Amino acid sequence: MSFYLGIVMWGRPPDNYGFYLPTIAMIGMTITLGLRWMYHLTWDNGLLTRVVAILGGSYGAAVLWMFSRGVIFYNAFPEERKVYEGGSMSFFSYFDGSVSAFWVMLSWSALYFGIKYYLLMQEERQRSLKAMNMAHEAQLKMLRYQLNPHFLFNTLNAISTLVLDGNNSLANVMVTRLSRFLRYSLDNDPMLRVTVAEEIEALQLYLDIEKVRFDERLRLHFDVDSAASEALMPSLLLQPLVENSIKYAIANAIDGGSIAISASVTGRDLELVVADDGPGLDLRNGRLPKGGGVGLANTRERLKALYGNKQSFRLSTTEPHGLTITIRIPLENTTDSE
């Protein structure tokens, strides 16, 4: 392009050159739209596929551009035709300058990916900042819950009952569980990811305390696949969901109820499910009715901030009654993050 502009500035361009120059420039820019479309299709593929797409796409775009240029140029300026033996032009004359055009297209591709990655980095940075704010808010709410006099009263009352009944060994176990649970909650950074096994272990500390309060009224079922146990997930994610089930499905039922927690790997996703057999909710299209479930809404917003559109948070009815919460997030193992 600089060569053509040089002719305009310091040379004597032929007639129609003012039409020819912007025409081939517009053709080149139009061809880059095809490159952009191809790069969009191969964006989520492997590195090798993207490298091949960049090199092959840039070369193909360059050849197409120079062929278009040759057709326009030799028709607009017939005196420049390169005539060979037999009085005809060589077909390859239409592709003169393809190597230079390749470097132009390759430079455009590098600029495209540079801008694209920069925008993604900015978006990820904004998402991380939002996730950090929400995680700290969730941590503060959990601390308020943990230090809530009602919660501590129920827990300490259960321990006191065990002592009065002479079950000192179990009371000591409960004190230890409460201490471990509070220590884990206070020391845990909500921005850190933990394995599913670690999250379930922390959840069991909480449930062991609630088990004393509700005894046989609280029935628990865990089903964690071996493939999912080492998968990473946001810390302190399941507790508000289980707390919601205890509050609405167990505490208000005379005979109590069951809560099932499961984790499995589905394709490239980690699937987490919390289901209860309580009265359930009046769901509309799998969504929470307005004004219901602050913990559920906060968990949904936290997932959206952490994973964007790569996550799902779905509510459904447990058959024959109850609420099932299904979470799907991108699968990432501890070995992948090292």
Side-chain angles (χ1 to χ4, degrees):
M1 189 60 66
S2 60
F3 173 76
Y4 298 130
L5 293 176
I7 293 178
V8 174
M9 295 295 297
W10 294 290
R12 293 183 178 180
D15 296 336
N16 300 325
Y17 204 81
F19 168 78
Y20 163 76
L21 185 61
T23 300
I24 61 171
M26 288 298 297
I27 292 175
M29 287 187 286
T30 302
I31 291 174
T32 60
L33 295 178
L35 281 178
R36 180 179 178 275
W37 174 77
M38 182 178 66
Y39 294 158
H40 179 74
L41 290 180
T42 58
W43 184 261
D44 292 328
N45 294 347
L47 177 62
L48 180 60
T49 302
R50 281 185 287 171
V51 170
V52 171
I54 293 172
L55 296 178
S58 298
Y59 186 77
V63 170
L64 179 60
W65 189 24
M66 288 299 99
F67 178 78
S68 302
R69 180 206 66 86
V71 171
I72 296 174
F73 181 83
Y74 290 124
N75 281 279
F77 312 107
E79 66 275 10
E80 298 294 331
R81 290 176 177 267
K82 299 179 180 180
V83 181
Y84 294 86
E85 291 185 15
S88 62
M89 286 183 58
S90 170
F91 174 77
F92 295 102
S93 298
Y94 288 95
F95 301 100
D96 287 345
S98 293
V99 175
S100 298
F102 167 72
W103 288 110
V104 173
M105 290 297 178
L106 190 62
S107 298
W108 180 91
S109 299
L111 183 62
Y112 170 83
F113 278 94
I115 295 175
K116 184 76 172 178
Y117 277 114
Y118 174 78
L119 294 177
L120 287 176
M121 287 176 60
Q122 291 297 104
E123 182 181 346
E124 186 64 27
R125 182 172 179 272
Q126 293 298 324
R127 185 179 298 168
S128 297
L129 290 175
K130 184 178 179 181
M132 183 179 295
N133 291 334
M134 294 187 67
H136 285 311
E137 182 180 352
Q139 184 185 37
L140 291 175
K141 289 181 178 180
M142 173 162 283
L143 289 174
R144 286 201 301 269
Y145 171 76
Q146 292 165 356
L147 299 179
N148 188 300
H150 181 69
F151 166 73
L152 291 178
F153 172 79
N154 288 333
T155 303
L156 295 175
N157 185 58
I159 295 173
S160 176
T161 301
L162 291 173
V163 174
L164 292 175
D165 291 341
N167 198 341
N168 295 333
S169 60
L170 183 56
N172 183 63
V173 170
M174 289 305 303
V175 171
T176 303
R177 289 174 179 175
L178 177 61
S179 175
R180 291 177 59 191
F181 173 70
L182 292 176
R183 185 183 301 111
Y184 174 86
S185 302
L186 292 170
D187 293 343
N188 187 270
D189 185 350
M191 289 306 298
L192 293 179
R193 294 167 300 169
V194 298
T195 64
V196 172
E198 291 171 336
E199 179 75 357
I200 294 297
E201 181 181 357
L203 185 61
Q204 286 176 321
L205 292 176
Y206 165 76
L207 288 171
D208 285 343
I209 297 173
E210 296 293 352
K211 186 73 174 175
V212 174
R213 289 178 55 200
F214 297 102
D215 197 20
E216 297 302 322
R217 293 174 58 207
L218 175 58
R219 296 177 290 277
L220 304 172
H221 306 280
F222 290 90
D223 183 14
V224 179
D225 291 350
S226 57
S229 61
E230 294 302 313
L232 295 174
M233 60 175 291
S235 64
L236 307 177
L237 185 70
L238 296 180
Q239 184 176 346
L241 307 183
V242 174
E243 177 190 346
N244 183 80
S245 293
I246 291 177
K247 181 177 180 180
Y248 293 102
I250 309 299
N252 296 328
I254 297 176
D255 297 327
S258 300
I259 300 177
I261 300 100
S262 65
S264 60
V265 174
T266 305
R268 296 183 178 180
D269 292 333
L270 171 65
E271 183 174 273
L272 304 166
V273 179
V274 176
D276 63 61
D277 58 0
L281 294 172
D282 181 17
L283 299 176
R284 297 176 177 87
N285 299 321
R287 294 185 177 275
L288 194 66
K290 185 177 180 180
V294 175
L296 302 185
N298 287 344
T299 301
R300 173 180 283 165
E301 289 301 316
R302 186 181 177 193
L303 287 170
K304 186 176 181 181
L306 287 170
Y307 299 103
N309 295 327
K310 296 181 179 180
Q311 54 80 33
S312 66
F313 183 92
R314 184 169 57 88
L315 305 178
S316 59
T317 300
T318 306
E319 296 299 335
H321 55 80
L323 177 66
T324 297
I325 306 168
T326 304
I327 296 173
R328 294 188 70 168
I329 58 177
L331 178 64
E332 184 179 3
N333 292 321
T334 53
T335 54
D336 298 331
S337 60
E338 292 177 353

